[in-house]
Amino acid sequence: MAGQRENNEVNARPSHRTVSLWSDVTACLENIRMAEFYLGYLPEKPNTAGIDHEAVQIQLQDARRLLGSIALDLTEGAADA
């Protein structure tokens, strides 16, 4: 019976909240990566041309929005505990 309990713990699925938070974090990191791309900080696009400031602003605003959403989710989770 103890072996079965250990097996169930190893194969436990993450909660919906955990999956949602992970999705938001990865989206935020992608927005930051795109801002770095537009600024020419990544090897795929060296800074040889002008910077698209509007595209950088949009990516950073999206990252801020996602981080705010994650913070709210974590705050609500702390209040439930």
Side-chain angles (χ1 to χ4, degrees):
M1 190 148 144
Q4 183 181 6
R5 186 179 68 209
E6 289 174 11
N7 190 28
N8 289 342
E9 290 173 3
V10 171
N11 294 328
R13 295 180 133 191
S15 69
H16 174 72
R17 181 173 181 262
T18 300
V19 172
S20 178
L21 286 172
W22 182 252
S23 175
D24 286 347
V25 168
T26 55
C28 185
L29 291 173
E30 179 59 21
N31 285 326
I32 292 169
R33 192 194 73 73
M34 287 303 297
E36 290 174 332
F37 176 80
Y38 289 133
L39 290 170
Y41 293 162
L42 299 179
E44 302 93 59
K45 182 183 177 193
N47 193 8
T48 57
I51 295 172
D52 186 350
H53 293 283
E54 186 177 350
V56 172
Q57 261 187 327
I58 290 169
Q59 292 299 321
L60 293 175
Q61 287 170 354
D62 287 348
R64 282 188 199 100
R65 180 184 52 78
L66 287 167
L67 286 172
S69 173
I70 293 166
L72 284 174
D73 287 346
L74 290 173
T75 301
E76 290 171 1
D80 294 340

